[in-house]
Amino acid sequence: MSNILQLQNNKADLQQTRLHSEPMPQLHEGEALLRICRLALTTNNITYAAFGETPHLRYWNFYPTTDQAWFHMPAWGFAEIVESSVGGLAKGERFYGFWPIASHVVMKPVRVGERGFYDGAEHRLELTSAYNQYQRISTDAAYRAEDENYQMLLRPLFITSFMLADFLEDNNFFGAKRIVVSSASSKTAYGTAFCLENNANVELIGLTSSGNTDFVDNLGCYARAMAYDDVEQLDASVPTLYVDFAGNNALRNRIHDHFKDNLMHSCFAGSSQNHEHLSAADAPTHGPAPQPYFAPYQIKKRNADWGAAEVTRKFNEAQLAFIQRTKNPQQPWMLVNEHQGLGQAQQLVEDLVAGRIDPKEGHAVVLG
């Protein structure tokens, strides 16, 4: 075990990847070496990559590389302690969290407790705290060993879905009676619809490509699916809220132009189709200014409103229900494909960047 193997992407061209080997560093006091066991790769990871330099996100900063032209894409999954000089962390313990796509990682665990630890590496101190927390599986009430693939594929997306649905309900849908969701076949989008499907105050419309309308309709959590080309067929007099998971400037502007002042809120929540920033030059001329949505802000609000334990309880309950719905053997929403090793992960990342992924599939990388 003399080297750490890493999968890296070129900052100037996300589809350009490389496998990079570095010598295994000597552990210092207060550090731990973890072997990364299993990772989930989705279009969400590509969003992390595309917005790596966005000030409040800074995804490129979590795992810096020694070459400034390349970055290390983070992914959610599971890892085990190989070696530790930190009290309270035992060899072989398994943790869920935000890891680099690599064979191993060295961390500086702090605030070690029953729930897990935080990575206290100096470069991460100013980054979003939620991404620096690592959960022991032994104390995670929502953990099921047989559901590891589903947990790592869905949990990081579903926390966005769950808190987004809560944010919209918390704001009474900004007065809207209809929610139009783009990229409706994406897991984060239909996770949001799952959380809202029993709310009789709003109608959920799933926008998707013409080839995905049957898939979106068959999910059953949208009132109906529509192809992007047909959005102007919607009655523009109905107060409408737009949730943008596609990041498509032209589509967003068409929606703003169609609904005009009856567009009550425009929420930017993802970027499945666009790896560039939505620029001010492309801002819509009608309706409200699009607002970015960031789940940690709503989590912070609800921690204050309900207490962290109740937020966790509510989320765990919803997540378990969502996983059961997603893997329902009679009508599964997602089929999991496993990819062995970083070599297969490299091809998978390139396919994700290029959009060569079936929305019904989830992809897990097994590293050991």
Side-chain angles (χ1 to χ4, degrees), residues 4-19:
I4 291 178
L5 188 61
Q6 303 174 341
L7 176 60
Q8 299 180 356
N9 290 66
N10 191 312
K11 290 180 178 179
D13 178 5
L14 299 187
Q15 200 161 0
Q16 188 180 347
T17 64
R18 71 177 185 182
L19 293 177

Side-chain angles (χ1 to χ4, degrees), residues 172-302:
N172 295 313
F173 305 105
F174 298 89
K177 297 300 181 186
R178 174 202 289 139
I179 299 177
V180 173
V181 178
S182 65
S183 200
S185 66
S186 72
K187 298 171 186 66
T188 319
Y190 67 67
T192 305
F194 170 82
C195 293
L196 293 173
E197 65 180 339
N198 295 320
N199 192 310
N201 295 319
V202 287
E203 178 191 31
L204 296 173
I205 304 295
L207 293 183
T208 189
S209 61
S210 56
N212 282 338
T213 52
D214 285 347
F215 172 74
V216 172
D217 256 333
N218 289 333
L219 290 170
C221 54
Y222 296 99
R224 57 175 160 150
M226 294 183 71
Y228 291 121
D229 289 346
D230 298 334
V231 70
E232 283 83 6
Q233 293 179 15
L234 288 168
D235 182 351
S237 69
V238 176
T240 295
L241 189 158
Y242 178 47
V243 181
D244 182 7
F245 285 104
N248 183 310
N249 288 344
L251 173 64
R252 180 191 64 182
N253 291 347
R254 281 173 55 207
I255 287 170
H256 277 250
D257 289 345
H258 180 61
F259 291 104
K260 296 185 171 63
D261 292 341
N262 285 323
L263 190 66
M264 313 308 291
H265 185 74
S266 181
C267 174
F268 173 62
S271 184
S272 67
Q273 298 176 10
N274 181 12
H275 303 153
E276 304 296 330
H277 294 278
L278 295 181
S279 69
D282 295 318
T285 54
H286 296 104
Q291 300 295 320
Y293 167 75
F294 192 46
Y297 295 161
Q298 186 69 6
I299 294 171
K300 184 176 181 179
K301 180 182 186 298
R302 285 313 198 190

Side-chain angles (χ1 to χ4, degrees), residues 70-115:
W70 295 81
F71 71 93
H72 212 166
M73 187 188 298
W76 295 91
F78 296 89
E80 292 181 355
I81 301 281
V82 173
E83 187 179 346
S84 172
S85 63
V86 181
L89 298 179
K91 183 177 179 179
E93 274 201 282
R94 197 171 182 92
F95 291 82
Y96 169 81
F98 200 53
W99 314 100
I101 304 177
S103 61
H104 297 79
V105 64
V106 174
M107 290 187 155
K108 193 173 181 178
V110 297
R111 298 164 62 184
V112 178
E114 180 183 2
R115 187 173 181 181

Side-chain angles (χ1 to χ4, degrees), residues 39-42 153 336-337 339 348 352 357-358 361-365:
L39 296 170
L41 287 177
T42 71
L153 277 161
V336 177
N337 291 335
H339 305 255
L348 175 58
L352 282 164
I357 294 294
D358 185 330
E361 294 179 349
H363 298 273
V365 175

